[in-house]
Amino acid sequence: MPIGIIGGTGFSQLPEFDLHREEVTTAFGAVTVLSGSFADKEVVFLPRHGAAGRLAPHQIAYQANIAALQSLGCTHILATNAVGGIREDIEPGHLVVPDQFLDFTRQRPLTLAEGSDEEIPHIDVTDPYCSYLRRLIAEQAWEAGLVVHQDVVYVCTEGPRFETPAEIQMFAQLGGDVVGMTGVPEVVLAREAQMCYASVGVVTNYAAGITGQTLSADEVHELMDQLRSRLLALLTGTIARLDPDADCLCPFK
Ligand code: HPA
């Protein structure tokens, strides 16, 4: 079974690897993925923002992406996301592995079961991110000498604008640690599709109002460019070690 990789901002291509393009048809539209071998494992790479990296967070075909990985037989998904640090100790250049999310999106698909007469998908998201994959990513990051924060609460906003400092203050009071625009509903749909899912967040900036500086997309891309090779090494190591039969707390196991 291939391992799914969903590449986020600054991680839309894997030119170093011998992957071939594949068009997958799903009930939610067609998706182009790259399939092949990576770290000696079979993988399917899906650039979340499209091959050219141009899709805005609210334009991403979250349902089609997860349905495509499901139809290709993926049981595990590793995702990357650029995030802003809400806590001062979560600095640009650090990594985070979320274990919870707060959903502040507004107009995104909520389920893969939309419009179908299947059972109402009241799925359990007590532990939305796979415990095994989270541990694997964190161990791999420590071994590579990277600063990685675990047990992090990811706040997902609708975007594409950045947040106001007042919003960030509110998120901080609610327990949010980092903020991004693409983690939800991806994690929810993956759970619904019964796939183990975890994300590694790359902290590209302090969230609005934390340092008093204004934010720009260029700043996010510049930091991603700097961290890209380290992130790639982290993913390669994680995939090399990933045992698809390992135990985890995901409720469908
Ligand atoms: N806010 C939302 N999304 C982000 C940020 C941010 O500060 N940085 C990277 N993605």
Side-chain angles (χ1 to χ4, degrees), residues 11-185:
F11 211 75
S12 292
Q13 287 173 5
L14 290 177
E16 306 85 342
F17 295 86
D18 185 21
L19 304 176
H20 60 270
R21 277 167 66 96
E22 202 175 329
E23 180 107 342
V24 189
T25 308
T26 78
F28 305 99
V31 178
T32 304
V33 300
L34 297 170
S35 304
S37 172
F38 182 97
D40 286 334
K41 296 252 171 70
E42 207 191 326
V43 298
V44 178
F45 178 73
L46 199 163
R48 186 186 289 119
H49 296 273
R54 299 192 72 89
L55 285 180
H58 64 288
Q59 296 170 324
I60 292 165
Y62 294 98
Q63 293 160 306
N65 288 351
I66 294 298
L69 294 179
Q70 185 184 34
S71 77
L72 292 170
C74 296
T75 52
H76 291 72
I77 299 177
L78 295 171
T80 77
N81 298 83
V83 297
I86 295 178
R87 271 177 22 207
E88 273 182 34
D89 63 317
I90 301 189
E91 300 174 17
H94 290 182
L95 301 178
V96 298
V97 183
D99 73 334
Q100 290 288 314
F101 66 77
L102 290 170
D103 181 6
F104 280 86
T105 63
R106 293 176 188 173
Q107 46 167 17
R108 299 191 184 179
L110 302 171
T111 169
L112 294 172
E114 252 166 34
S116 78
D117 45 16
E118 288 166 35
E119 239 175 74
I120 300 175
H122 293 305
I123 54 160
D124 175 63
V125 283
T126 304
D127 284 307
Y129 302 88
C130 173
S131 55
Y132 165 66
L133 290 181
R134 286 195 280 117
R135 198 182 66 235
L136 204 60
I137 296 169
E139 282 172 2
Q140 199 62 34
W142 288 326
E143 283 178 26
L146 302 168
V147 182
V148 58
H149 301 265
Q150 292 185 84
D151 305 331
V152 153
V153 178
Y154 174 97
V155 180
C156 195
T157 61
E158 186 66 25
R161 65 167 176 85
F162 288 110
E163 301 72 36
T164 63
E167 287 169 327
I168 293 299
Q169 281 308 313
M170 175 184 72
F171 296 150
Q173 283 177 23
L174 294 177
D177 298 312
V178 296
V179 59
M181 302 178 194
T182 53
V184 182

